[in-house]
Amino acid sequence: MRFLKRLVLDATVAWVRMLRRWRTGKGLLYVVPPASAGSLGDQALLTGLAALLPASYPNRICQVLLPGWQEISVRGMEADALPVSLSVKGLTNFVWRLLDCRHFGILGADVMDGRYSPDLVQAFVTLCNLGARCGVPTTIFGFSFSGTPDPKAVAALSNLDSRVTCLCRDPVSRQRFEQRTGNRAQLVADLAFRMDAHLDTTSTHAAAEWIGQQRATGRRVVGLNVNVLPTSGETARTIAAYAGELTALLRSFPDLVCVMLPHDLRKGQSDHVSLVSVRNAVPQDLHERIHVLDPPFSAWDVKGVAALADLIVTGRMHLAIAALAQGVPAIGIAYQGKFEGLYAYFGMQELLLDPDSVASPGLLAGRIRTAFERVDDYRQRIATALPQVLHLSAQNTAHLT
């Protein structure tokens, strides 16, 4: 029975490829997000992609959702989703829907090395290969690739159809990807650089107002994000370490205040939960100098607040991008090999820290002190590099026709 289903799938691919010859220049951009809704980084990617859609495309992106996934909202764009099953029957239905697809893509983000799930990479390769076989222009949009990819993911990518366009979002990832998989890749920058900032929610307006009040009294603002994912299993230790460093900073600098910026709200790894825990572990007398951004909010909201800070400290790469895109220096708590290439664009690799180093007393606080001393230099480096980075970000869609 499975053999017959596979024959039906192959026959459907042939039919769709033939029928598409009469549908040139029609249809939507179909995109598979990196995960289900909840990560503001993924929302920033999709929103940046929407901003770069050529004028000839409808103002809609059809999100292709794997089983159990929820659609990611995009500001100013009509919702459109296509749930897909990875069974042979489900893939056959997917192929038929490609009749209405003008370009098919994967938001590669940080998942293409298989460190999160090699099975997800295999699913992405399967969908890309079907798109290419149907004659649909197919792209894996700007992604990073770690130095230690999962062997199963590498094996899957070695079977990627040569007609699929691969776009790596930094030169370090491009070199790793080409060496490990044998595939060619073009260099771009992260799509999130192209997302505009907006303050749409009550909580983000409140945060902006609070920052304005602090600045009116001559205070400086550091934005803090805490991501416990790289140190999973040691969450309590990580929270205590951040609380200790923040306490030391606020004691040392009476003119410093902290706005806490979550960038992932998914259950089990919510930055908001972690940041509230850090705030609660700081002595009570310092709480008036800390403001936690509470949900609901979207990626563009957090970007709007990040622009108001003097310096950002973040364990989420797309919050660093939100800051850098607006000229704000960011200290990155780097993990999974995806920060290095980003910071190389700006010549600011010294602003990267290993997640375990946060537990070393005084190290993070010292790095923040040094960054504040050199903040004007960092702003100049960002201003110099940003035009080229924005150009590279736009290259994600330069080939869409």
Side-chain angles (χ1 to χ4, degrees), residues 13-60:
V13 168
W15 270 105
V16 169
R17 183 177 182 85
M18 181 182 67
L19 293 172
R20 281 183 51 82
R21 295 174 183 172
W22 288 274
R23 300 183 65 84
T24 303
K26 297 181 179 180
L28 301 177
L29 172 62
Y30 281 37
V31 172
V32 187
S36 186
S39 164
L40 270 66
D42 294 345
Q43 187 179 50
L45 287 171
L46 194 58
T47 306
L49 177 62
L52 289 171
L53 271 181
S56 60
Y57 276 69
N59 185 36
R60 288 166 59 201

Short mmCIF file of all heavy atoms in Angstrom, two decimals, residues 13-60:
data_model
loop_
_atom_site.label_atom_id
_atom_site.label_comp_id
_atom_site.label_asym_id
_atom_site.label_seq_id
_atom_site.Cartn_x
_atom_site.Cartn_y
_atom_site.Cartn_z
N VAL A 13 3.44 14.89 -8.44
CA VAL A 13 4.55 15.82 -8.69
C VAL A 13 4.67 16.11 -10.19
O VAL A 13 4.81 17.26 -10.61
CB VAL A 13 5.87 15.25 -8.14
CG1 VAL A 13 7.07 16.05 -8.65
CG2 VAL A 13 5.86 15.24 -6.62
N ALA A 14 4.58 15.05 -11.00
CA ALA A 14 4.69 15.22 -12.46
C ALA A 14 3.55 16.07 -13.00
O ALA A 14 3.77 16.95 -13.85
CB ALA A 14 4.71 13.85 -13.13
N TRP A 15 2.32 15.83 -12.51
CA TRP A 15 1.17 16.61 -12.96
C TRP A 15 1.31 18.08 -12.58
O TRP A 15 1.07 18.98 -13.39
CB TRP A 15 -0.12 16.02 -12.36
CG TRP A 15 -0.75 14.98 -13.23
CD1 TRP A 15 -0.75 13.64 -13.02
CD2 TRP A 15 -1.47 15.21 -14.44
NE1 TRP A 15 -1.42 13.00 -14.02
CE2 TRP A 15 -1.89 13.94 -14.91
CE3 TRP A 15 -1.82 16.34 -15.18
CZ2 TRP A 15 -2.62 13.78 -16.08
CZ3 TRP A 15 -2.56 16.18 -16.35
CH2 TRP A 15 -2.95 14.91 -16.78
N VAL A 16 1.66 18.31 -11.34
CA VAL A 16 1.77 19.69 -10.87
C VAL A 16 2.87 20.43 -11.62
O VAL A 16 2.70 21.59 -12.01
CB VAL A 16 2.03 19.71 -9.34
CG1 VAL A 16 2.43 21.11 -8.87
CG2 VAL A 16 0.79 19.23 -8.59
N ARG A 17 3.97 19.74 -11.87
CA ARG A 17 5.06 20.39 -12.62
C ARG A 17 4.58 20.80 -14.02
O ARG A 17 4.89 21.90 -14.50
CB ARG A 17 6.25 19.45 -12.73
CG ARG A 17 7.45 20.09 -13.43
CD ARG A 17 8.65 19.15 -13.45
NE ARG A 17 9.79 19.81 -14.08
CZ ARG A 17 10.65 20.60 -13.46
NH1 ARG A 17 10.50 20.82 -12.16
NH2 ARG A 17 11.64 21.17 -14.10
N MET A 18 3.79 19.95 -14.65
CA MET A 18 3.29 20.25 -15.99
C MET A 18 2.26 21.39 -15.94
O MET A 18 2.32 22.33 -16.73
CB MET A 18 2.65 19.01 -16.60
CG MET A 18 2.13 19.23 -18.03
SD MET A 18 1.35 17.76 -18.71
CE MET A 18 -0.09 17.64 -17.65
N LEU A 19 1.35 21.32 -14.99
CA LEU A 19 0.28 22.32 -14.91
C LEU A 19 0.82 23.71 -14.54
O LEU A 19 0.24 24.73 -14.94
CB LEU A 19 -0.77 21.88 -13.88
CG LEU A 19 -1.58 20.64 -14.25
CD1 LEU A 19 -2.45 20.20 -13.08
CD2 LEU A 19 -2.47 20.94 -15.47
N ARG A 20 1.92 23.75 -13.81
CA ARG A 20 2.47 25.03 -13.38
C ARG A 20 3.03 25.85 -14.55
O ARG A 20 3.23 27.06 -14.42
CB ARG A 20 3.59 24.82 -12.35
CG ARG A 20 3.09 24.52 -10.94
CD ARG A 20 4.26 24.41 -9.97
NE ARG A 20 5.15 25.56 -10.08
CZ ARG A 20 4.94 26.73 -9.47
NH1 ARG A 20 3.87 26.91 -8.71
NH2 ARG A 20 5.80 27.73 -9.62
N ARG A 21 3.25 25.22 -15.67
CA ARG A 21 3.78 25.95 -16.83
C ARG A 21 2.83 27.05 -17.29
O ARG A 21 3.25 28.01 -17.93
CB ARG A 21 4.05 24.97 -17.98
CG ARG A 21 5.15 23.96 -17.67
CD ARG A 21 5.27 22.94 -18.77
NE ARG A 21 6.27 21.92 -18.46
CZ ARG A 21 6.47 20.82 -19.19
NH1 ARG A 21 5.74 20.62 -20.28
NH2 ARG A 21 7.39 19.96 -18.82
N TRP A 22 1.54 26.89 -16.95
CA TRP A 22 0.56 27.89 -17.37
C TRP A 22 0.24 28.87 -16.23
O TRP A 22 -0.67 29.67 -16.36
CB TRP A 22 -0.73 27.20 -17.83
CG TRP A 22 -0.54 26.52 -19.14
CD1 TRP A 22 -0.66 27.08 -20.39
CD2 TRP A 22 -0.17 25.15 -19.36
NE1 TRP A 22 -0.39 26.15 -21.36
CE2 TRP A 22 -0.08 24.95 -20.77
CE3 TRP A 22 0.11 24.07 -18.53
CZ2 TRP A 22 0.25 23.73 -21.32
CZ3 TRP A 22 0.45 22.87 -19.08
CH2 TRP A 22 0.52 22.70 -20.46
N ARG A 23 0.97 28.80 -15.15
CA ARG A 23 0.66 29.64 -13.99
C ARG A 23 1.84 30.53 -13.60
O ARG A 23 1.96 30.97 -12.47
CB ARG A 23 0.25 28.78 -12.80
CG ARG A 23 -0.98 27.93 -13.06
CD ARG A 23 -1.37 27.14 -11.82
NE ARG A 23 -1.79 28.01 -10.74
CZ ARG A 23 -3.01 28.49 -10.59
NH1 ARG A 23 -3.96 28.20 -11.49
NH2 ARG A 23 -3.32 29.25 -9.58
N THR A 24 2.73 30.82 -14.52
CA THR A 24 3.91 31.64 -14.24
C THR A 24 3.50 33.02 -13.75
O THR A 24 2.62 33.66 -14.32
CB THR A 24 4.78 31.78 -15.50
OG1 THR A 24 5.13 30.48 -15.95
CG2 THR A 24 6.04 32.57 -15.20
N GLY A 25 4.16 33.51 -12.69
CA GLY A 25 3.90 34.85 -12.18
C GLY A 25 2.68 34.96 -11.31
O GLY A 25 2.27 36.06 -10.95
N LYS A 26 2.07 33.83 -10.94
CA LYS A 26 0.88 33.85 -10.10
C LYS A 26 1.17 33.15 -8.77
O LYS A 26 2.14 32.43 -8.63
CB LYS A 26 -0.29 33.16 -10.80
CG LYS A 26 -0.73 33.84 -12.08
CD LYS A 26 -1.92 33.11 -12.69
CE LYS A 26 -2.38 33.80 -13.97
NZ LYS A 26 -3.54 33.11 -14.58
N GLY A 27 0.28 33.39 -7.80
CA GLY A 27 0.38 32.68 -6.54
C GLY A 27 1.12 33.45 -5.46
O GLY A 27 1.58 34.56 -5.64
N LEU A 28 1.22 32.79 -4.30
CA LEU A 28 1.78 33.39 -3.10
C LEU A 28 3.17 32.86 -2.79
O LEU A 28 3.61 31.84 -3.33
CB LEU A 28 0.87 33.09 -1.90
CG LEU A 28 -0.57 33.57 -1.94
CD1 LEU A 28 -1.30 33.09 -0.69
CD2 LEU A 28 -0.64 35.08 -2.05
N LEU A 29 3.84 33.54 -1.88
CA LEU A 29 5.04 33.01 -1.26
C LEU A 29 4.60 32.06 -0.14
O LEU A 29 3.87 32.46 0.77
CB LEU A 29 5.89 34.14 -0.69
CG LEU A 29 7.10 33.74 0.17
CD1 LEU A 29 8.10 32.92 -0.64
CD2 LEU A 29 7.77 34.97 0.76
N TYR A 30 5.01 30.80 -0.23
CA TYR A 30 4.74 29.82 0.82
C TYR A 30 6.01 29.67 1.65
O TYR A 30 7.09 29.45 1.10
CB TYR A 30 4.39 28.45 0.22
CG TYR A 30 2.99 28.29 -0.31
CD1 TYR A 30 2.32 29.33 -0.95
CD2 TYR A 30 2.33 27.08 -0.19
CE1 TYR A 30 1.04 29.17 -1.45
CE2 TYR A 30 1.04 26.91 -0.68
CZ TYR A 30 0.40 27.96 -1.31
OH TYR A 30 -0.87 27.80 -1.80
N VAL A 31 5.89 29.75 2.97
CA VAL A 31 7.06 29.70 3.84
C VAL A 31 6.78 28.80 5.05
O VAL A 31 5.73 28.91 5.68
CB VAL A 31 7.45 31.10 4.34
CG1 VAL A 31 8.54 31.02 5.40
CG2 VAL A 31 7.95 31.96 3.18
N VAL A 32 7.74 27.95 5.36
CA VAL A 32 7.70 27.15 6.58
C VAL A 32 8.49 27.89 7.65
O VAL A 32 9.69 28.13 7.48
CB VAL A 32 8.30 25.75 6.38
CG1 VAL A 32 8.06 24.90 7.63
CG2 VAL A 32 7.73 25.08 5.15
N PRO A 33 7.86 28.30 8.76
CA PRO A 33 8.62 28.95 9.84
C PRO A 33 9.52 27.93 10.55
O PRO A 33 9.35 26.72 10.36
CB PRO A 33 7.52 29.47 10.77
CG PRO A 33 6.34 28.62 10.50
CD PRO A 33 6.42 28.19 9.06
N PRO A 34 10.46 28.40 11.37
CA PRO A 34 11.38 27.47 12.04
C PRO A 34 10.70 26.65 13.14
O PRO A 34 11.21 25.60 13.53
CB PRO A 34 12.45 28.39 12.65
CG PRO A 34 12.25 29.72 12.02
CD PRO A 34 10.81 29.79 11.63
N ALA A 35 9.59 27.16 13.67
CA ALA A 35 8.91 26.51 14.78
C ALA A 35 7.51 27.08 14.90
O ALA A 35 7.11 27.98 14.15
CB ALA A 35 9.68 26.72 16.09
N SER A 36 6.76 26.58 15.86
CA SER A 36 5.44 27.12 16.14
C SER A 36 5.56 28.50 16.77
O SER A 36 6.64 28.94 17.17
CB SER A 36 4.69 26.17 17.08
OG SER A 36 3.36 26.58 17.27
N ALA A 37 4.43 29.20 16.86
CA ALA A 37 4.42 30.55 17.41
C ALA A 37 4.92 30.57 18.86
O ALA A 37 4.77 29.59 19.59
CB ALA A 37 3.00 31.12 17.34
N GLY A 38 5.52 31.68 19.26
CA GLY A 38 6.00 31.85 20.63
C GLY A 38 7.34 32.52 20.71
O GLY A 38 7.63 33.25 21.66
N SER A 39 8.19 32.27 19.71
CA SER A 39 9.50 32.93 19.66
C SER A 39 9.38 34.25 18.93
O SER A 39 8.97 34.30 17.78
CB SER A 39 10.53 32.04 18.95
OG SER A 39 11.67 32.79 18.59
N LEU A 40 9.75 35.34 19.59
CA LEU A 40 9.72 36.64 18.93
C LEU A 40 10.79 36.73 17.86
O LEU A 40 10.67 37.50 16.92
CB LEU A 40 9.88 37.76 19.96
CG LEU A 40 8.56 38.29 20.56
CD1 LEU A 40 7.89 37.20 21.41
CD2 LEU A 40 8.79 39.53 21.39
N GLY A 41 11.86 35.93 17.99
CA GLY A 41 12.88 35.90 16.95
C GLY A 41 12.33 35.39 15.65
O GLY A 41 12.59 35.96 14.57
N ASP A 42 11.53 34.31 15.71
CA ASP A 42 10.92 33.78 14.50
C ASP A 42 9.91 34.78 13.93
O ASP A 42 9.79 34.92 12.71
CB ASP A 42 10.22 32.45 14.81
CG ASP A 42 11.20 31.35 15.20
OD1 ASP A 42 12.42 31.53 14.97
OD2 ASP A 42 10.75 30.33 15.76
N GLN A 43 9.19 35.46 14.80
CA GLN A 43 8.25 36.48 14.34
C GLN A 43 8.99 37.63 13.65
O GLN A 43 8.53 38.16 12.63
CB GLN A 43 7.45 37.03 15.53
CG GLN A 43 6.34 37.98 15.14
CD GLN A 43 5.56 38.47 16.34
OE1 GLN A 43 6.14 38.93 17.32
NE2 GLN A 43 4.24 38.37 16.27
N ALA A 44 10.15 38.00 14.18
CA ALA A 44 10.96 39.05 13.55
C ALA A 44 11.43 38.62 12.17
O ALA A 44 11.45 39.42 11.23
CB ALA A 44 12.15 39.39 14.44
N LEU A 45 11.82 37.35 12.03
CA LEU A 45 12.25 36.85 10.73
C LEU A 45 11.12 36.93 9.71
O LEU A 45 11.32 37.41 8.58
CB LEU A 45 12.72 35.40 10.86
CG LEU A 45 14.05 35.14 11.54
CD1 LEU A 45 14.24 33.64 11.79
CD2 LEU A 45 15.19 35.67 10.69
N LEU A 46 9.96 36.45 10.09
CA LEU A 46 8.83 36.41 9.17
C LEU A 46 8.37 37.83 8.81
O LEU A 46 8.03 38.12 7.65
CB LEU A 46 7.69 35.62 9.79
CG LEU A 46 6.55 35.19 8.85
CD1 LEU A 46 7.07 34.34 7.71
CD2 LEU A 46 5.49 34.43 9.63
N THR A 47 8.41 38.73 9.80
CA THR A 47 8.01 40.11 9.54
C THR A 47 9.03 40.81 8.64
O THR A 47 8.66 41.61 7.77
CB THR A 47 7.85 40.87 10.87
OG1 THR A 47 6.94 40.15 11.71
CG2 THR A 47 7.32 42.27 10.64
N GLY A 48 10.31 40.52 8.86
CA GLY A 48 11.34 41.06 7.98
C GLY A 48 11.20 40.56 6.56
O GLY A 48 11.37 41.32 5.60
N LEU A 49 10.86 39.29 6.42
CA LEU A 49 10.63 38.72 5.09
C LEU A 49 9.45 39.41 4.41
O LEU A 49 9.51 39.76 3.22
CB LEU A 49 10.38 37.23 5.20
CG LEU A 49 10.06 36.48 3.90
CD1 LEU A 49 11.21 36.57 2.91
CD2 LEU A 49 9.73 35.01 4.19
N ALA A 50 8.38 39.64 5.17
CA ALA A 50 7.20 40.32 4.61
C ALA A 50 7.55 41.72 4.13
O ALA A 50 7.06 42.18 3.09
CB ALA A 50 6.10 40.38 5.66
N ALA A 51 8.43 42.39 4.88
CA ALA A 51 8.83 43.75 4.49
C ALA A 51 9.62 43.77 3.19
O ALA A 51 9.66 44.79 2.50
CB ALA A 51 9.64 44.39 5.61
N LEU A 52 10.25 42.65 2.87
CA LEU A 52 11.10 42.57 1.68
C LEU A 52 10.38 41.95 0.48
O LEU A 52 11.01 41.75 -0.57
CB LEU A 52 12.36 41.76 1.99
CG LEU A 52 13.38 42.44 2.90
CD1 LEU A 52 14.47 41.44 3.30
CD2 LEU A 52 14.00 43.65 2.23
N LEU A 53 9.10 41.63 0.62
CA LEU A 53 8.37 41.04 -0.52
C LEU A 53 8.40 41.99 -1.71
O LEU A 53 8.10 43.19 -1.56
CB LEU A 53 6.93 40.77 -0.13
CG LEU A 53 6.58 39.42 0.49
CD1 LEU A 53 5.08 39.36 0.75
CD2 LEU A 53 6.99 38.27 -0.42
N PRO A 54 8.75 41.50 -2.89
CA PRO A 54 8.68 42.37 -4.07
C PRO A 54 7.26 42.91 -4.28
O PRO A 54 6.28 42.26 -3.91
CB PRO A 54 9.09 41.42 -5.21
CG PRO A 54 9.89 40.34 -4.56
CD PRO A 54 9.27 40.17 -3.20
N ALA A 55 7.16 44.08 -4.89
CA ALA A 55 5.86 44.73 -5.09
C ALA A 55 4.92 43.88 -5.95
O ALA A 55 3.69 44.02 -5.86
CB ALA A 55 6.06 46.10 -5.73
N SER A 56 5.49 42.99 -6.76
CA SER A 56 4.66 42.17 -7.63
C SER A 56 3.96 41.04 -6.88
O SER A 56 3.09 40.37 -7.43
CB SER A 56 5.52 41.58 -8.75
OG SER A 56 6.57 40.78 -8.23
N TYR A 57 4.34 40.80 -5.62
CA TYR A 57 3.71 39.75 -4.81
C TYR A 57 2.51 40.31 -4.05
O TYR A 57 2.54 41.46 -3.61
CB TYR A 57 4.70 39.18 -3.80
CG TYR A 57 5.61 38.10 -4.34
CD1 TYR A 57 6.59 38.39 -5.29
CD2 TYR A 57 5.49 36.78 -3.92
CE1 TYR A 57 7.43 37.40 -5.78
CE2 TYR A 57 6.32 35.78 -4.41
CZ TYR A 57 7.28 36.10 -5.34
OH TYR A 57 8.11 35.11 -5.83
N PRO A 58 1.48 39.50 -3.83
CA PRO A 58 0.38 39.92 -2.95
C PRO A 58 0.90 40.15 -1.54
O PRO A 58 1.90 39.54 -1.13
CB PRO A 58 -0.60 38.73 -3.00
CG PRO A 58 -0.22 37.95 -4.22
CD PRO A 58 1.25 38.16 -4.41
N ASN A 59 0.23 40.99 -0.78
CA ASN A 59 0.64 41.26 0.60
C ASN A 59 0.14 40.15 1.52
O ASN A 59 -0.57 40.37 2.50
CB ASN A 59 0.09 42.61 1.08
CG ASN A 59 0.60 42.98 2.46
OD1 ASN A 59 1.74 42.68 2.80
ND2 ASN A 59 -0.25 43.59 3.27
N ARG A 60 0.55 38.94 1.21
CA ARG A 60 0.19 37.76 2.00
C ARG A 60 1.31 36.75 1.90
O ARG A 60 1.95 36.60 0.86
CB ARG A 60 -1.10 37.12 1.48
CG ARG A 60 -2.37 37.89 1.76
CD ARG A 60 -3.52 37.34 0.92
NE ARG A 60 -3.78 35.93 1.16
CZ ARG A 60 -4.43 35.13 0.30
NH1 ARG A 60 -4.86 35.62 -0.85
NH2 ARG A 60 -4.64 33.89 0.60
#
